[in-house]
Amino acid sequence: MQPTLPAALLSRLSDVLAARLGLHYPAERWSDLERGIASAAPALGMADATSCAHRLLSAPLTHGEIEILASCLTVGETYFFREKPSFDVLEQHILPALLREREGSGRRLRIWSAGCCTGEEAYSIAMLLDRLIPNAEVWNITLLATDINPAFLRKAAEGEYGEWSFRSTPDWIKNRYFHPRRGSRFKLDVHIRKRVTFAYLNLADDAYPSLTNNTNAMDIIFCRNVLMYFSAERARRVVGNLHRALVDGGWLIVSPAETSGALFSRFTTVEFAGAILYRKDASVEAPRFVSHVPAPVTDSMQVSWRLSEENIPAENIPVAEALPEPIRATSPASDSCAPLPPQQNQLSCAARDCANQGRLGEAADLCRKAIAADKLEPAHHYLLSAILQEQGQSDDAAQSLMRALYLDPGFVLAHYALGNLRQSQGRRSEAQRHFDNALASLRAHPPDEILPESDGLAAGRLMEIILSMRSNMPQLTANT
């Protein structure tokens, strides 16, 4: 099909979509772009693709328009345990090494599914963790799943799927974790759904890594079949952000079609049997390519989700072969540190850097020292609350946020964080009240003002995020 819209119009529209959504539409894909715009036209109140294109170019895109475009222009094609070699490597090597390392040092694990679509990838990770960690209740595990398409997020949070989502999945997975519904539909067990937090995030436009949206200090990031839709420049920026979002020694998992020595030059490339992964290494002298061919798994170490159907005792988790060891290094002070007196600023920035590297105990100690130096600075209490929440201490985190708000009732990020925390606890009425307070405080800020302690988030953007969250609060939760 040849596009019918003028080439100049499609070119301008392609540029706008690249800037705001990161979606790349070269001339050879303009017919796809036109079909997407025609699909979005009715939801945007336009009669046809031509009037819709002119409307989108006549003024800056609103958040609502971006959501509609994302729904019409992004592909929702995925299924459970897609690209199985990546999951084999995760199960047989990466997770066993992480679990053994963390068993004696905090029992903490953070994984992010970036561009999660309708949730099959994130839930596949959750099911794998359920089998590898039989005592998950004593672990502090974060499994974050983000996407730009609210419709995908709503479907993901519901956790109900058809047969097509199971096309490469063993029957026992469906039998163990799903309940049949009418019309060949299957509902995922609530204990798996509760392990995943779904959230809106625009990889092309939003600020990350950030304590604000919980995208910092990740051990593993899945970003598969996402980068291929970006322009080269946008993809480089996204990969740079993902690199910063990982702790030293953290892993980035992309699709086989997206592997690139140039794009991932800041990572160490690690080759496994059947998959190539990327590892963040703080060492400047780190090798740029490491070949790693796994040894056969013995019967006594068999943990594959393909074969076993029993819970796996911790002592049977296989020891991964030697991998490049991370070298810890303190990153430069964050630009988001507020202008405070020198000692307080040094402590606050050091605490933030430790938190971004996953060294939560050190970060909390530094925060408490900053608070001791100045008990009336709300930013210290806000930062401590973020660290406590990552440590799984939700009640203490809430107390720190309330102290921050006592010191500064107009502290927008504290209202927003408390709303998120209460929503995660299922206390929706309280969450609604705190989101309302955040919106009221935001009205005192110009839309383009960067909010304190926000890692670069503008007031107008936060207002859009909160309004979107409020409209989807009954659906956008992994707790129902």
Side-chain angles (χ1 to χ4, degrees):
M1 169 186 167
Q2 292 295 318
T4 59
L5 294 179
L9 186 63
L10 287 168
S11 177
R12 290 173 58 204
L13 196 56
S14 176
D15 290 342
V16 168
L17 293 174
R20 289 304 308 274
L21 279 79
L23 300 178
H24 181 47
Y25 281 95
E28 58 269 23
R29 291 191 61 218
W30 281 354
S31 58
D32 295 335
L33 174 57
E34 184 172 325
R35 277 195 296 271
I37 296 303
S39 175
L44 292 170
M46 299 291 117
D48 51 36
T50 301
S51 59
C52 184
H54 284 294
R55 165 63 189 87
L56 294 173
L57 293 171
S58 66
L61 295 177
T62 67
H63 184 64
E65 289 170 340
I66 288 175
E67 290 186 354
I68 291 170
L69 289 170
S71 299
C72 296
L73 294 171
T74 53
V75 179
E77 171 60 24
T78 188
Y79 49 91
F80 291 105
F81 295 100
R82 183 181 184 181
E83 296 171 1
K84 186 166 65 66
S86 296
F87 281 97
D88 289 344
V89 171
L90 184 68
E91 177 189 25
Q92 298 172 12
H93 298 279
I94 295 174
L95 282 176
L98 274 171
L99 295 178
R100 288 189 179 277
E101 174 192 342
R102 302 289 172 78
E103 180 68 35
S105 60
R107 291 180 175 176
R108 178 174 174 270
L109 186 66
R110 291 174 58 78
I111 303 176
W112 177 14
S113 171
C116 67
C117 194
T118 47
E120 286 92 334
E121 177 178 87
Y123 286 139
S124 295
I125 300 168
M127 286 184 277
L128 182 56
L129 290 173
D130 183 66
R131 294 177 52 71
L132 287 177
I133 312 177
N135 58 337
E137 67 280 357
V138 301
W139 283 74
N140 180 12
I141 299 174
T142 295
L143 181 43
L144 174 68
T146 65
D147 202 274
I148 193 176
N149 189 330
F152 289 169
L153 292 170
R154 284 191 288 270
K155 181 178 178 181
E158 289 168 0
E160 186 169 309
Y161 299 93
E163 288 284 2
W164 194 237
S165 292
F166 299 92
R167 56 189 180 272
S168 293
T169 309
D171 288 340
W172 70 261
I173 290 282
K174 187 192 299 182
N175 295 336
R176 178 166 180 167
Y177 291 110
F178 292 83
H179 303 284
R181 294 291 179 93
R182 291 182 180 179
S184 298
R185 307 286 295 175
F186 297 87
K187 186 81 169 183
L188 182 61
D189 277 354
V190 66
H191 85 278
I192 295 294
R193 284 187 283 132
K194 288 175 68 175
R195 295 186 180 185
V196 182
T197 299
F198 291 100
Y200 176 94
L201 186 82
N202 183 345
L203 287 171
D205 205 33
D206 286 330
Y208 61 95
S210 172
L211 287 166
T212 303
N213 52 28
N214 201 27
T215 52
N216 63 301
M218 291 292 168
D219 296 299
I220 302 167
I221 298 176
F222 278 71
C223 187
R224 302 189 301 172
N225 303 293
V226 175
L227 298 172
M228 63 176 64
Y229 295 106
F230 292 163
S231 65
E233 175 57 31
R234 181 69 64 176
R236 282 192 291 270
R237 287 175 55 187
V238 170
V239 169
N241 288 342
L242 295 177
H243 184 272
R244 292 190 298 113
L246 286 164
V247 298
D248 293 337
W251 295 89
L252 175 64
I253 302 176
V254 301
S255 168
E258 297 167 316
T259 56
S260 164
L263 186 58
F264 303 104
S265 59
R266 297 180 65 186
F267 290 85
T268 296
T269 305
V270 184
E271 184 178 21
F272 293 85
I276 293 176
L277 275 60
Y278 297 97
R279 196 178 198 199
K280 178 178 177 178
D281 196 322
S283 172
V284 176
E285 304 299 326
R288 301 316 318 154
F289 189 89
V290 176
S291 179
H292 177 75
V293 181
V297 179
T298 67
D299 290 341
S300 64
M301 293 161 52
Q302 185 58 263
V303 298
S304 174
W305 63 268
R306 301 185 305 273
L307 302 177
S308 174
E309 298 189 22
E310 300 301 322
N311 281 333
I312 304 160
E315 60 269 18
N316 287 342
I317 296 176
V319 179
E321 295 182 56
L323 299 175
E325 285 301 318
I327 298 177
R328 296 291 186 188
T330 301
S331 48
S334 170
D335 291 337
S336 64
C337 290
L340 298 168
Q343 181 187 8
Q344 296 174 40
N345 190 60
Q346 184 178 12
L347 289 168
S348 178
C349 288
R352 185 181 293 271
D353 291 336
C354 285
N356 283 333
Q357 279 298 310
R359 290 146 42 204
L360 298 181
E362 295 176 57
D365 288 344
L366 288 166
C367 253
R368 292 186 177 100
K369 289 179 181 177
I371 291 171
D374 184 359
K375 295 181 176 63
L376 301 182
E377 174 51 58
H380 300 331
H381 295 279
Y382 171 76
L383 180 56
L384 179 60
S385 75
I387 295 166
L388 290 171
Q389 193 164 357
E390 286 192 31
Q391 290 179 309
Q393 302 176 39
S394 297
D395 291 338
D396 290 340
Q399 289 295 323
S400 288
L401 286 171
M402 287 188 281
R403 290 189 189 101
L405 288 170
Y406 176 79
L407 295 169
D408 180 3
F411 194 164
V412 175
L413 265 296
H415 284 299
Y416 174 63
L418 199 47
N420 278 328
L421 192 153
R422 293 311 189 202
Q423 183 174 338
S424 71
Q425 295 173 328
R427 297 159 67 169
R428 289 182 178 170
S429 60
E430 290 184 52
Q432 184 75 50
R433 176 165 52 84
H434 292 300
F435 288 142
D436 288 343
N437 289 339
L439 289 172
S441 297
L442 280 168
R443 295 189 182 98
H445 297 266
D448 58 351
E449 179 184 341
I450 301 300
L451 296 169
E453 307 302 315
S454 72
D455 298 304
L457 184 66
R461 181 71 185 100
L462 181 58
M463 182 172 287
E464 290 177 341
I465 291 171
I466 295 173
L467 290 172
S468 177
M469 287 178 64
R470 279 182 46 180
S471 66
N472 292 296
M473 275 182 68
Q475 297 85 13
L476 285 187
T477 174
N479 295 326
T480 60

